Amino acid sequence: TLIAAAGCLVLMVIGFRGVRHPMLVLVMLAASITWALGFTTEMIGHLSIFSLAVISILFALGIEFAITYASRYLQLRHEGWQLRPALMETTGKIGTGAITAAVTAALAFLCTLLADYVGVAELGIIAAAGILLCALATFFVLPALISLADQNADAARLPKPLDWNLPRGILAKFPLVTLAVSAKARSEEHTSELQ
């Protein structure tokens, strides 16, 4: 968990070009993981090695909503939006997509209920609930944290996230090459799994 947190923090500091907003994202993630562990204690009653693996899953999947939220918020602030309207606009713009992604991922994890092994089924239940809780924390906890942290911040002094237009442009310019490289990498991964 500590390695995952440190790795996420380093990548976010690079991407956001600052420390404050990545730290807010990690605090939000810690709150949602705490909720997920509370859910586990209440609904399942125990933790196993499989259920503890949810923490790593939530670092990977649950943090994406918060990164998207913080990025959009910072973009709006640099466009001249004030704090509260920027938070409201961000919530309105990414809300539907984030909730849809969270519900879809949660439903995918609930497919583990079909497994014969109880530990795997519990992992699916906890992961599904954890992802939904991460999405909820993105819209309830993160805006409150940002509001407290940025209430006196000048928009010009806020960090400007890295602009990834060059890589996106290259991928968009050569879609067939991108598709072929992706398919080749996936087939090699599948072959190594079979071996």
Side-chain angles (χ1 to χ4, degrees):
T1 301
L2 292 176
I3 292 169
C8 287
L9 181 61
V10 167
L11 289 175
M12 286 190 297
V13 166
I14 293 167
F16 281 107
R17 296 182 184 176
V19 176
R20 179 171 53 202
H21 293 91
M23 289 300 293
L24 296 176
V25 168
L26 285 182
V27 169
M28 182 233 60
L29 189 61
S32 57
I33 287 173
T34 303
W35 295 348
L37 293 176
F39 170 84
T40 303
T41 303
E42 188 63 31
M43 296 304 289
I44 296 176
H46 63 275
L47 291 173
S48 66
I49 294 299
F50 281 115
S51 55
L52 288 175
V54 166
I55 295 174
S56 298
I57 291 169
L58 293 181
F59 268 105
L61 296 175
I63 203 168
E64 72 178 84
F65 311 120
I67 291 171
T68 304
Y69 191 96
S71 297
R72 179 67 177 146
Y73 159 76
L74 289 171
Q75 179 186 12
L76 290 174
R77 288 301 305 269
H78 283 287
E79 290 174 4
W81 291 63
Q82 295 300 314
L83 175 67
R84 186 173 170 79
L87 290 172
M88 298 299 288
E89 177 71 9
T90 301
T91 300
K93 287 293 183 188
I94 73 158
T96 305
I99 296 300
T100 302
V103 169
T104 303
L107 289 173
F109 275 108
L110 288 177
C111 289
T112 60
L113 291 174
L114 302 173
D116 291 333
Y117 185 60
V118 175
V120 173
E122 289 176 356
L123 170 71
I125 293 169
I126 299 165
I131 288 171
L132 293 173
L133 290 170
C134 284
L136 288 176
T138 298
F139 297 107
F140 291 100
V141 176
L142 188 58
L145 292 172
I146 290 173
S147 183
L148 290 172
D150 289 354
Q151 63 185 345
N152 297 322
D154 180 24
R157 300 193 68 186
L158 290 174
K160 189 171 184 180
L162 285 175
D163 188 2
W164 296 98
N165 286 334
L166 179 63
R168 273 195 304 256
I170 292 170
L171 293 176
K173 198 171 191 177
F174 304 104
L176 292 177
V177 173
T178 303
L179 181 62
V181 169
S182 299
K184 176 80 170 139
R186 179 62 186 136
S187 89
E188 289 174 359
E189 180 181 311
H190 183 66
T191 303
S192 67
E193 287 174 2
L194 293 175
Q195 293 173 353

